[in-house]
Amino acid sequence: VPEAVALPESAAEVAEILRLAGEAGFPVVPRGAGTATTGAPLASQGGLVLSLAKMDRILEINTEDLVAVVEPGVVNGVFRRAVEERGLFYPPDPASFEFSTLGGNVATCAGGPKGLKYGVTKDYVLGLEVVLPTGEVVFCGRRTIKGVVGYDLVHLFVGSEGTLGVITKIVFKLLPKPSAQATLLVGFAALEQAVKGFASLLSQGLLPATAELLDEVTIQAVGHFLEEEIKAQALLLLEFDGGDKQVQEDLEKAHEVLKAQSLFVEHALEAEARERLWRARRNVSPALKRLAPGKLADDVVVSRSRLVPLLRFIKEAAARSGLQVACFGHLGDGNVHVNILYDPSREQAQAQALREEILAQVLALSGTISGEHGIGLTKRAYLPRELPPPVVALMRQMKDLFDPQGILNPGKIF
Amino acid sequence: VPEAVALPESAAEVAEILRLAGEAGFPVVPRGAGTATTGAPLASQGGLVLSLAKMDRILEINTEDLVAVVEPGVVNGVFRRAVEERGLFYPPDPASFEFSTLGGNVATCAGGPKGLKYGVTKDYVLGLEVVLPTGEVVFCGRRTIKGVVGYDLVHLFVGSEGTLGVITKIVFKLLPKPSAQATLLVGFAALEQAVKGFASLLSQGLLPATAELLDEVTIQAVGHFLEEEIKAQALLLLEFDGGDKQVQEDLEKAHEVLKAQSLFVEHALEAEARERLWRARRNVSPALKRLAPGKLADDVVVSRSRLVPLLRFIKEAAARSGLQVACFGHLGDGNVHVNILYDPSREQAQAQALREEILAQVLALSGTISGEHGIGLTKRAYLPRELPPPVVALMRQMKDLFDPQGILNPGKIF
């Protein structure tokens, strides 16, 4: 619980708050919608929570320049719909898109299912207005795609979890909206088959916008929420988008490639039918909550070629520990959400030991311990395992450079 | 002329050189192929030129992970072909692609004609091995698309023009190679028509991979190199890529959109015929050299909606000064190469005054003074006009943090 909450309505008000914090020496914790999974927006050392919720205006959507300018408190889903109404497209859609704010998305470099084809939040941020911990309001970057004048401060703020500055305005790059989408739900007899099937799509030159993978534990869990039983050990939910003919062509090719390798392939082109295929995926989070009272969730990434070894390792380690682990996530970019299901009243130690084992294996496979959730509080201890000491030292020095008094979101990341 | 040149063959050798430079206090100037247009790889304060030419191995092209690992001295064109032979695609192709090296491309964040659809070099760099000025060899980033562990040092090195560290290894993201391409050459009665024509393509949901614009002066200049006279005041060279049916669809739509607005539309689908349409564009640089003994070349960017006002301003300013100005460039991302043609023996002052006037107008239109060439030596004086003092101060402090002795490429950017 913070000592106070401020709801500023302008960059000037944010600047005043930061100047005051510098004088009085209290922590300031920037907060969007508070959907972070790592504790990043918590006032863990007390002080002031600085909510950007009231700075929620869409300032510009420019259809000619394919650019939008927004305040940080705009909810991702609100923005996406506003943009789509104008025939444009903002791809990053983290699972929290109906709640999380764009400022928070930028501060954590939020991802989502479209990483392989469309990248993540950082790929859409052209410019930022930021209030520095000193209270100075600066604009970094530009409103054009190209620009190489000095160092790239924009990408330094993206993903910095509110530790370097408070974002008060964002200039986003947009795309034209694809005219068609197709969704495929593909069942496989084994996880390995699903990964292999996806690789064969890529090798045929197909680039799905989405490739969501559900493992056996996850499929069983979502069973409660579906009318029909899913008879598969692995599910792949694919989406293709583009021009009408392109999507038709991709769909035919995908059927051809996958039919021999899979148990079934269903597809849908219309919004409602597509949403039906998404049902299993949409219910993953509530379904997992039913399985066990506790859940340790990680957000790891390895190269696709190393996914099968990682998933096999996880299954074996889970079997050894006697705990259930549900894996699902974004196959396209190798981002797996690993959920260790346990009873906190008696399995805390096993769950934690299993987590350590899995994270160590991710690093051994040259992966990363956080693909899209960030470090915040809950993964601080793991940061030095991924990053070598001189890199951590450089980052800490950068933090000191931007925030010499250490008032901005102290105790996060490092 | 530098005092010495070193041609290291490994990161360990680069590290030794930097440690020696730190001890003895001499400048080290990293150099790729020396194709920079801003003097960035020149030993302007003496010292050692550190050429990466011998570190030119492609270490890995991974078709499953869509990832490549290269040393910095690999020539862009060599890499592009190696990647395409494996059915993959590395989009960034600056005009210098047959000569310039990937290390230099990363150090300057090189662009090229594909910016709107495919972004620029920074959008393809996942990880970097860098030798810091202290001689430490560090790896930043990852070999996966997603990853949010600590600050984004990768993008800090991209575009830093060899002032923060020496890049010794690059991990690139790749794409599947599009199966088809179509090229269109479109003639317009006025520059405004070309910009408007392009805007109507976007509003129809078309996203060309390339949209090269040539103005009247440029068209006249390239006339010498072509068999037929081009009867147009503006040329637009468009390329569409994607699946076969998609490209066919885009081509039909583009014809439909453009035929009423243009003087002529030619198109080609086969490599040789496409190259014929590119001929005018390919000859721009040699053609401009024939027109005048001197050329002041800038590399400005404004939002597309501000291109027509900028180009009109340039024509009027050129007429007032009595000098010819040729404008061509990448319409998709608003990146215009402005070439002031003059006689250095008697028009130096007018040319410089005209340049100042144009750059001031670019900034007045919220543009940037360098889209893809960087700052180096020749644009240092203009940096403080684009960036506010606190931003420049932060950047300078970052330079001091990484390179406290100031041995790495001193006198560049700032």
Side-chain angles (χ1 to χ4, degrees):
Chain A
V1 178
E3 291 162 80
V5 176
L7 289 142
E9 297 186 22
S10 67
E13 287 185 12
V14 172
E16 270 187 73
I17 292 166
L18 288 176
R19 273 195 297 268
L20 185 64
E23 280 164 36
F26 59 81
V28 175
V29 181
R31 185 180 176 99
T35 58
T37 64
T38 62
L42 297 180
S44 52
Q45 302 187 1
L48 179 83
V49 160
L50 192 160
S51 165
L52 282 311
K54 285 200 172 174
M55 293 178 66
D56 65 348
R57 287 176 305 163
I58 297 176
L59 301 171
E60 182 187 352
I61 297 176
N62 190 312
T63 52
E64 188 173 352
D65 293 341
L66 300 180
V67 155
V69 185
V70 303
E71 290 185 332
V74 177
V75 169
N76 179 303
V78 171
F79 178 60
R80 288 166 55 79
R81 282 188 288 274
V83 153
E84 284 176 24
E85 273 169 25
R86 286 163 181 81
L88 302 179
F89 181 39
Y90 173 71
D93 56 346
S96 60
F97 74 90
E98 288 293 10
F99 319 100
S100 66
T101 60
L102 293 168
N105 291 175
V106 172
T108 54
C109 190
K114 298 205 180 76
L116 177 65
K117 181 167 179 182
Y118 288 110
V120 293
T121 304
K122 70 170 171 227
D123 300 304
Y124 295 87
V125 184
L126 299 174
L128 290 174
E129 182 187 83
V130 176
V131 185
L132 299 175
T134 52
E136 271 168 318
V137 183
V138 296
F139 182 79
C140 320
R142 51 201 68 80
R143 53 175 281 144
T144 54
I145 289 170
K146 286 179 179 169
V148 282
V149 176
Y151 302 142
D152 184 348
L153 296 185
V154 169
H155 282 88
L156 197 58
F157 287 112
V158 176
S160 65
E161 304 188 17
T163 62
L164 299 179
V166 179
I167 296 163
T168 49
K169 206 178 278 175
I170 309 160
V171 183
F172 281 119
K173 163 180 125 171
L174 302 172
L175 299 177
K177 190 178 157 192
S179 60
Q181 272 111 10
T183 303
L184 289 94
L185 187 71
V186 194
F188 294 90
L191 214 49
E192 287 84 347
Q193 304 290 331
V195 177
K196 221 185 268 179
F198 184 74
S200 15
L201 292 177
L202 290 184
S203 70
Q204 293 298 308
L206 290 165
L207 188 61
T210 295
E212 295 292 289
L213 182 69
L214 276 66
D215 77 348
E216 204 178 343
V217 178
T218 312
I219 294 170
Q220 280 171 4
V222 295
H224 298 279
F225 291 82
L226 305 175
E227 292 137 31
E228 294 173 65
E229 194 195 347
I230 296 175
K231 289 189 180 122
Q233 272 62 56
L235 273 184
L236 195 54
L237 187 74
L238 294 167
E239 287 211 324
F240 292 97
D241 64 4
D244 300 2
K245 286 189 189 165
Q246 178 69 50
V247 168
Q248 198 54 51
E249 190 178 351
D250 288 352
L251 193 57
E252 285 164 23
K253 264 199 197 172
H255 266 287
E256 210 177 285
V257 171
L258 293 173
K259 72 178 169 213
Q261 306 182 42
S262 63
L263 300 174
F264 62 82
V265 185
E266 287 178 50
H267 81 259
L269 289 158
E270 300 309 320
E272 209 180 309
R274 287 175 46 226
E275 200 45 50
R276 222 172 8 249
L277 297 184
W278 268 91
R279 202 171 293 161
R281 176 65 181 87
R282 298 252 191 257
N283 281 302
V284 167
S285 279
L288 292 182
K289 279 196 193 116
R290 286 173 52 109
L291 285 190
K295 186 175 90 170
L296 261 185
D298 273 300
D299 162 43
V300 304
V301 192
V302 294
S303 296
R304 267 187 311 278
S305 62
R306 292 162 195 182
L307 256 183
V308 168
L310 176 67
L311 293 170
R312 250 185 228 147
F313 176 91
I314 294 174
K315 293 295 151 194
E316 287 164 15
R320 277 197 305 274
S321 80
L323 295 175
Q324 266 203 317
V325 178
C327 292
F328 65 94
H330 319 306
L331 174 54
D333 46 51
N335 185 192
V336 185
H337 297 301
V338 180
N339 295 272
I340 301 172
L341 306 167
Y342 72 109
D343 181 345
S345 69
R346 49 180 193 87
E347 295 171 324
Q348 188 83 43
Q350 291 107 292
Q352 194 54 42
L354 180 56
R355 179 191 206 185
E356 303 277 334
E357 218 184 323
I358 291 169
L359 292 179
Q361 183 65 12
V362 167
L363 292 174
L365 292 167
S366 303
T368 180
I369 58 165
S370 186
E372 51 183 19
H373 293 169
I375 300 299
L377 276 177
T378 59
K379 293 185 194 167
R380 271 191 320 180
Y382 302 102
L383 180 104
R385 293 209 209 154
E386 178 165 335
L387 302 180
V391 169
V392 177
L394 257 182
M395 289 180 180
R396 277 178 174 279
Q397 288 173 301
M398 287 165 69
K399 165 71 177 168
D400 292 341
L401 175 64
F402 279 74
D403 182 17
Q405 290 184 272
I407 55 166
L408 206 52
N409 213 1
K412 306 296 163 57
I413 301 183
F414 305 109
Chain B
V1 179
E3 291 163 80
V5 176
L7 289 142
E9 297 186 21
S10 69
E13 287 186 11
V14 172
E16 270 186 72
I17 291 166
L18 288 175
R19 276 195 295 268
L20 185 65
E23 280 164 34
F26 58 82
V28 175
V29 181
R31 184 181 178 97
T35 58
T37 64
T38 61
L42 297 179
S44 53
Q45 300 188 4
L48 180 83
V49 160
L50 193 160
S51 164
L52 282 312
K54 285 200 171 173
M55 292 177 67
D56 65 349
R57 288 177 302 164
I58 297 175
L59 301 172
E60 182 187 353
I61 297 176
N62 191 311
T63 53
E64 188 171 353
D65 294 340
L66 300 180
V67 155
V69 184
V70 302
E71 291 185 331
V74 177
V75 169
N76 179 302
V78 170
F79 178 60
R80 288 166 55 77
R81 282 187 290 272
V83 154
E84 285 176 24
E85 273 168 26
R86 285 161 181 82
L88 302 178
F89 181 38
Y90 173 72
D93 57 345
S96 60
F97 74 89
E98 288 293 10
F99 317 101
S100 65
T101 60
L102 293 167
N105 291 175
V106 172
T108 54
C109 189
K114 300 206 179 75
L116 176 65
K117 181 166 180 183
Y118 288 109
V120 293
T121 303
K122 70 172 171 229
D123 300 305
Y124 295 86
V125 184
L126 298 174
L128 289 175
E129 182 188 84
V130 176
V131 185
L132 299 175
T134 53
E136 271 168 317
V137 183
V138 297
F139 183 79
C140 320
R142 51 202 66 82
R143 53 174 283 145
T144 54
I145 289 170
K146 287 179 176 167
V148 282
V149 176
Y151 302 142
D152 184 349
L153 297 184
V154 169
H155 282 89
L156 197 57
F157 286 113
V158 176
S160 66
E161 305 190 16
T163 62
L164 299 178
V166 179
I167 296 162
T168 49
K169 207 178 276 175
I170 309 160
V171 183
F172 281 118
K173 163 180 127 171
L174 302 172
L175 299 176
K177 190 179 157 189
S179 60
Q181 273 111 11
T183 305
L184 289 95
L185 188 70
V186 194
F188 294 89
L191 215 48
E192 286 83 346
Q193 304 289 332
V195 176
K196 222 183 271 177
F198 184 73
S200 15
L201 291 178
L202 290 185
S203 71
Q204 293 298 309
L206 291 165
L207 187 62
T210 295
E212 295 291 289
L213 183 68
L214 276 66
D215 77 347
E216 205 180 341
V217 178
T218 311
I219 294 170
Q220 281 170 4
V222 294
H224 298 278
F225 290 81
L226 305 174
E227 291 137 30
E228 294 173 64
E229 196 193 345
I230 297 174
K231 290 188 179 124
Q233 272 62 58
L235 273 185
L236 196 53
L237 186 74
L238 295 167
E239 287 210 323
F240 293 97
D241 63 6
D244 299 4
K245 286 185 192 166
Q246 178 67 47
V247 168
Q248 196 56 48
E249 188 178 355
D250 288 352
L251 193 57
E252 284 162 25
K253 265 201 200 170
H255 266 287
E256 210 177 285
V257 171
L258 293 172
K259 72 179 171 212
Q261 306 183 43
S262 64
L263 300 174
F264 63 83
V265 185
E266 289 179 47
H267 81 260
L269 289 159
E270 300 309 320
E272 208 180 309
R274 288 174 47 226
E275 201 43 53
R276 226 175 2 253
L277 297 184
W278 268 91
R279 203 172 292 161
R281 177 64 182 88
R282 297 254 189 255
N283 281 301
V284 166
S285 280
L288 293 181
K289 281 200 188 113
R290 287 172 51 109
L291 285 189
K295 185 176 89 170
L296 261 184
D298 273 301
D299 162 44
V300 304
V301 192
V302 293
S303 296
R304 268 188 310 279
S305 62
R306 292 162 194 180
L307 257 184
V308 167
L310 176 67
L311 293 169
R312 252 187 225 146
F313 177 90
I314 294 173
K315 293 296 153 194
E316 287 163 15
R320 280 198 303 275
S321 78
L323 295 175
Q324 267 203 317
V325 178
C327 292
F328 65 93
H330 318 306
L331 174 54
D333 46 52
N335 185 194
V336 185
H337 298 300
V338 179
N339 295 272
I340 302 172
L341 306 166
Y342 71 109
D343 181 344
S345 69
R346 53 184 190 79
E347 294 170 326
Q348 188 82 46
Q350 290 107 292
Q352 194 54 43
L354 179 55
R355 179 190 206 185
E356 303 277 334
E357 221 184 319
I358 292 169
L359 292 179
Q361 184 65 13
V362 167
L363 293 174
L365 292 167
S366 303
T368 180
I369 58 166
S370 186
E372 51 183 18
H373 294 169
I375 299 298
L377 276 177
T378 60
K379 291 183 194 166
R380 271 190 321 179
Y382 301 101
L383 180 104
R385 293 208 207 155
E386 178 164 336
L387 302 181
V391 169
V392 177
L394 258 185
M395 289 181 182
R396 277 177 174 280
Q397 287 173 300
M398 287 164 70
K399 164 69 178 169
D400 291 342
L401 176 62
F402 279 73
D403 182 17
Q405 292 185 271
I407 56 165
L408 206 51
N409 215 2
K412 305 298 161 58
I413 301 183
F414 305 109

